Amino acid sequence: MHSTAETIHACAQALEAADDDRPLRLRQVAQSLASTSRLIRRAYRDFGSIGWPSHRRLVLRRHAGQVLAAVRAAEAHLDTDAEAALRELADLLMTVCHRHVCGRVGALLDEEVLAGLEPVTDWEWVRLVVALAVASGAAVGAAFLPLPATAAPYALSGAATTAFMLIYTSQPRRALELWSNVRR
């Protein structure tokens, strides 16, 4: 809910922004929406009303994909008619947020809104496999470095952490800057 509220707030700020400030505000909407989209995709899992081996998960996963398709369709209009797209996006997100709070994770948006939309494909499993492969490769590479035995666990965990950080952050450069600040 908090992420959705931040995205709605970013939409409001973009609507009120002056013409020279609008590109920055639209970028903030896109960044906030990326985070919110990941949470919408997981809404049915995070709500806690469905057990792991449930036949309902497939239907809910498809619905979440369609909701994301509707959100992306509204986001696509930001470059052609920003004001109308921002209003539509905020309206969609308010509906999603309200219905999630009410426990309607299978009806985050009405069927009329979702009609004809193909669900967005979930590539999260590919990211996980790539992150695991890169972390494993980095660990193998770190094992061949001439390090003392006491430093090897730190090198392995650092390599794995760096691999996951690079793959799971939206801006790997900022993640590396954060990592260098933590080291200091």
Side-chain angles (χ1 to χ4, degrees):
M1 243 178 48
H2 179 69
S3 178
T4 308
E6 284 181 348
T7 306
I8 293 167
H9 181 68
C11 289
Q13 287 181 325
L15 273 170
E16 296 171 356
D19 289 339
D20 59 336
D21 192 33
R22 184 161 286 184
L24 173 66
R25 297 296 181 181
L26 290 175
R27 188 175 322 121
Q28 289 172 344
V29 168
Q31 289 170 346
S32 183
L33 193 57
S35 173
T36 300
S37 294
R38 283 190 296 276
L39 295 174
I40 289 172
R41 177 172 300 288
R42 294 187 347 226
Y44 70 93
R45 289 184 293 192
D46 294 346
F47 193 71
S49 63
I50 297 136
W52 169 245
S54 174
H55 62 282
R56 297 173 12 214
R57 292 176 74 83
L58 183 62
V59 174
L60 293 175
R61 186 174 29 236
R62 178 172 170 71
H63 177 72
Q66 286 180 310
V67 170
L68 286 177
V71 169
R72 287 184 180 180
E75 183 185 17
H77 296 292
L78 285 174
D79 301 315
T80 55
D81 187 6
E83 287 188 20
L86 288 167
R87 291 179 199 284
E88 180 184 4
L89 197 53
D91 186 45
L92 284 173
L93 292 174
M94 281 190 279
T95 303
V96 167
C97 188
H98 179 262
R99 291 187 180 176
H100 183 268
V101 168
C102 293
R104 298 178 61 196
V105 292
L108 294 174
L109 289 176
D110 293 329
E111 287 299 321
E112 297 83 39
V113 175
L114 303 177
L117 292 175
E118 283 298 314
V120 173
T121 306
D122 184 10
W123 295 102
E124 188 65 26
W125 66 273
V126 175
R127 281 176 94 179
L128 180 62
V129 168
V130 169
L132 288 172
V134 170
S136 299
V140 168
F144 285 111
L145 292 174
L147 296 173
T150 57
Y154 296 109
L156 295 176
S157 63
T161 301
T162 302
F164 273 88
M165 191 170 56
L166 289 174
I167 291 173
Y168 274 97
T169 57
S170 59
Q171 296 177 341
R173 184 176 175 193
R174 286 186 61 199
L176 288 176
E177 289 172 4
L178 175 66
W179 188 259
S180 66
N181 289 340
V182 168
R183 272 191 323 158
R184 290 184 203 156

